[in-house]
């Protein structure tokens, strides 16, 4: 460049030219396009059978902490099963007589403020007695309400020979013409011989039934 050529005022040597910012209309259009794209992707990949309950998830975690403080121990070995490996007759499944218990007196803490979405228990199918060394397998049947959903999982806690079960955050939609049921298994190493009282906390009430693990 010629030394005699006048310099542009306010421009330092080697400074790149200023970039013109996007018009606000383009920014808004880009945001809208992203939101639409994200929504379509979520709808396409979303599982129609699953529903998420963040409030219930938080309450279930709090309830677990409170149970531990009262001497209840979690049973991480217990789990949900999709079907029984043997026939109902071999398992000795029969509909249990369900009793209602006072929540605070039975569990040892006030859980009314940490309840999950109320569920309606229809029946429990479980063995009256269990041979030592055999897993405890049972089935909880639900009355499906307006949203057509029931638990897709369960939490298990034990204290002495009492077990409490309560649903965590998730729900699954009932399939048409299918029985809304949750089957579960408690491994034999968690069950010493003796009579057990098993509680189910449904969010608005505490139900219970008994079983005996033989010597």
């Amino acid at each position: 460049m010629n030394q005699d050529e006048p310099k542009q005022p306010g421009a330092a040597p080697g400074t790149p030219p200023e970039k013109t910012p996007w018009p606000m209309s383009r920014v808004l259009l880009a945001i809208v396009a992203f939101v639409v794209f994200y929504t379509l992707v979520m709808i396409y990949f979303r599982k129609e059978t699953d529903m998420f309950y963040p409030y219930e998830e938080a309450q279930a975690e709090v309830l677990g902490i409170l149970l531990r403080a009262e001497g209840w121990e979690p049973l991480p070995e217990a789990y949900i099963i999709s079907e029984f490996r043997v026939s109902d007759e071999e398992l000795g499944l029969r509909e249990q007589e369900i009793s209602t218990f006072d929540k605070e007196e039975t569990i040892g803490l006030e859980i009314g403020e940490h309840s999950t979405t109320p569920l309606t228990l229809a029946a429990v199918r479980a063995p009256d007695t269990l041979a030592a060394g055999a897993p405890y397998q049972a089935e909880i049947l639900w009355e499906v309400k307006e949203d057509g959903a029931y638990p897709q999982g369960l939490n298990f806690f034990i204290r002495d020979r009492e077990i409490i079960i309560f649903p965590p955050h998730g729900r699954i939609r009932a399939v048409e013409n299918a029985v809304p049921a949750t089957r579960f298994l408690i491994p034999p190493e968690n069950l010493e011989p003796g009579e057990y009282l098993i509680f189910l906390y449904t969010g608005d009430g505490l139900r219970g039934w008994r079983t005996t693990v033989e010597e």
Side-chain angles (χ1 to χ4, degrees), residues 1-7:
M1 182 175 63
N2 191 337
Q3 294 181 354
D4 296 333
E5 184 178 339
K7 298 180 179 180

Side-chain angles (χ1 to χ4, degrees), residues 49 51 144 147-150 172-180:
T49 56
M51 295 189 294
V144 176
D147 60 0
Y150 63 97
I172 186 169
R173 292 191 184 279
V175 179
E176 187 176 359
N177 298 326
V179 177

Side-chain angles (χ1 to χ4, degrees), residues 154-214:
L154 297 171
N155 290 330
F156 301 84
F157 283 79
I158 188 170
R159 185 176 66 180
D160 298 327
R161 287 185 175 84
E162 294 181 339
I163 296 174
I164 182 170
I165 304 170
F166 64 93
H169 55 86
R171 301 284 187 274
I172 186 169
R173 292 191 184 279
V175 179
E176 187 176 359
N177 298 326
V179 177
T182 306
R183 301 182 181 93
F184 65 91
L185 181 150
I186 301 177
E189 54 266 25
N190 298 123
L191 302 170
E192 298 178 352
E195 185 180 60
Y196 282 79
L197 184 54
I198 302 176
F199 300 107
L200 175 66
Y201 177 52
T202 57
D204 61 350
L206 189 67
R207 313 289 190 266
W209 64 94
R210 299 180 185 274
T211 191
T212 300
V213 179
E214 298 175 337

Side-chain angles (χ1 to χ4, degrees), residues 102-151:
D102 180 89
K103 300 189 295 292
E104 285 72 23
E105 291 181 2
T106 305
I107 300 178
L109 53 87
E110 295 184 3
I111 58 177
E113 296 180 356
H114 307 284
S115 61
T116 59
T117 300
L119 299 160
T120 302
L121 174 65
V124 174
R125 298 174 64 246
D128 292 330
T129 59
L130 187 67
Y136 181 78
Q137 301 182 68
E139 179 180 57
I140 301 172
L141 291 89
W142 309 97
E143 287 186 8
V144 176
K145 298 185 178 181
E146 291 79 10
D147 60 0
Y150 63 97

Side-chain angles (χ1 to χ4, degrees), residues 38-81:
Y38 179 80
T39 302
L40 292 175
V41 170
M42 292 299 294
I43 292 175
Y44 180 78
F45 288 102
R46 182 181 61 191
K47 295 181 180 180
E48 292 296 333
T49 56
D50 295 340
M51 295 189 294
F52 181 56
Y53 292 73
Y55 174 79
E56 283 75 9
E57 178 184 21
Q59 295 291 20
E61 291 178 358
V62 172
L63 180 55
I65 294 172
L66 294 176
L67 286 171
R68 289 186 182 92
E70 292 293 328
W72 295 84
E73 296 294 333
L75 283 177
E77 299 86 1
Y79 57 91
I80 301 300
I81 56 178

